Amino acid sequence: METVQRPMRADARRNYERLLTAAHAAFAEQGTEASLEEVARTAGVGIGTLYRHFPTRRALLEAVLHDSLAGLDTRARELLGSDSPGEALLEWTRHLMAHVTVYRGLAATLMSSFDDPASELYGACERVRVGGDALLASAQRAGAVRDDVTGADLTKLVNAVAWAGEHCDDDTAERLLTLVMDGLRVGDRRS
């Protein structure tokens, strides 16, 4: 039996929005392991209110990342019509890399959610994976990317570079991503 979702009361909606704002700031400053008690305190609510809205850290992360994850999916669909599928895939991987490096620790959190259907982040990660798989398949059909590369390979490689990027400067992270993507290309073709 399906339950009907009632709209939030105005005060509950305000608390929800304040929690998202506080979580975004805390994750930006301290990484994905920021104190949830501090998030609640900054939002001006009790920890019980935080857990009523977000029963787990990953549920809070999913809410904070919802729009940017949806943006990755939208960007993948836009890039699918590109005349240069190899370059479209490279552009999308750069978007993915920027996304997973927005908070310290996010790459590791997302990687563990990709294969965990019980994770609150799984559905959003699955949508990102579908978009990346479509771009990869397009680049492979165009002969721009090796046929033996899977979407899971690509996701893991980008997340590994993102994780490494947490420990080096932006130029090094971009160079590492370029090296990975060059390694996936077929011969000297750059489509």
Side-chain angles (χ1 to χ4, degrees):
M1 181 169 156
E2 190 174 315
T3 59
V4 176
Q5 198 69 332
R6 291 183 9 219
M8 273 192 225
R9 293 184 338 240
D11 62 330
R13 173 49 82 187
R14 280 191 302 275
N15 288 341
Y16 180 90
E17 294 299 331
R18 287 197 315 245
L19 283 164
L20 288 180
T21 299
H24 174 71
F27 294 152
E29 183 180 321
Q30 302 164 22
T32 59
E33 293 302 314
S35 164
L36 296 184
E37 289 81 8
E38 184 60 32
V39 168
R41 191 173 16 266
T42 300
V45 301
I47 191 70
T49 299
L50 182 144
Y51 283 119
R52 267 192 302 283
H53 287 289
F54 309 104
T56 66
R57 178 179 301 276
R58 288 186 182 191
L60 179 57
L61 265 170
E62 194 283 329
V64 169
L65 297 171
H66 183 269
D67 291 343
S68 62
L69 287 168
L72 278 171
D73 181 44
T74 299
R75 190 64 186 136
R77 283 187 268 119
E78 292 168 354
L79 288 167
L80 272 173
S82 173
D83 292 333
S84 181
E87 290 304 316
L89 180 64
L90 177 59
E91 182 180 335
W92 185 81
T93 59
R94 284 191 174 119
H95 283 284
L96 178 59
M97 175 100 156
H99 172 76
V100 299
T101 57
V102 71
Y103 303 130
R104 187 177 63 257
L106 184 56
T109 300
L110 290 174
M111 275 311 302
S112 66
S113 296
F114 268 104
D115 297 320
D116 180 8
S119 170
E120 290 87 346
L121 287 166
Y122 180 80
C125 288
E126 188 61 23
R127 287 188 300 280
V128 169
R129 183 186 345 230
V130 167
D133 286 353
L135 286 167
L136 175 61
S138 177
Q140 288 170 325
R141 281 190 304 275
V145 175
R146 296 168 37 165
D147 288 335
D148 62 340
V149 178
T150 68
D153 294 338
L154 182 63
T155 301
K156 288 174 183 170
L157 288 167
V158 171
N159 273 283
V161 171
W163 178 85
E166 290 180 7
H167 307 284
C168 59
D169 59 71
D170 290 342
D171 290 338
T172 302
E174 175 60 27
R175 188 176 68 76
L176 291 172
L177 182 61
T178 299
L179 287 170
V180 165
M181 295 307 292
D182 284 349
L184 301 180
R185 294 184 192 278
V186 173
D188 292 326
R189 294 177 90 177
R190 291 185 184 250
S191 63

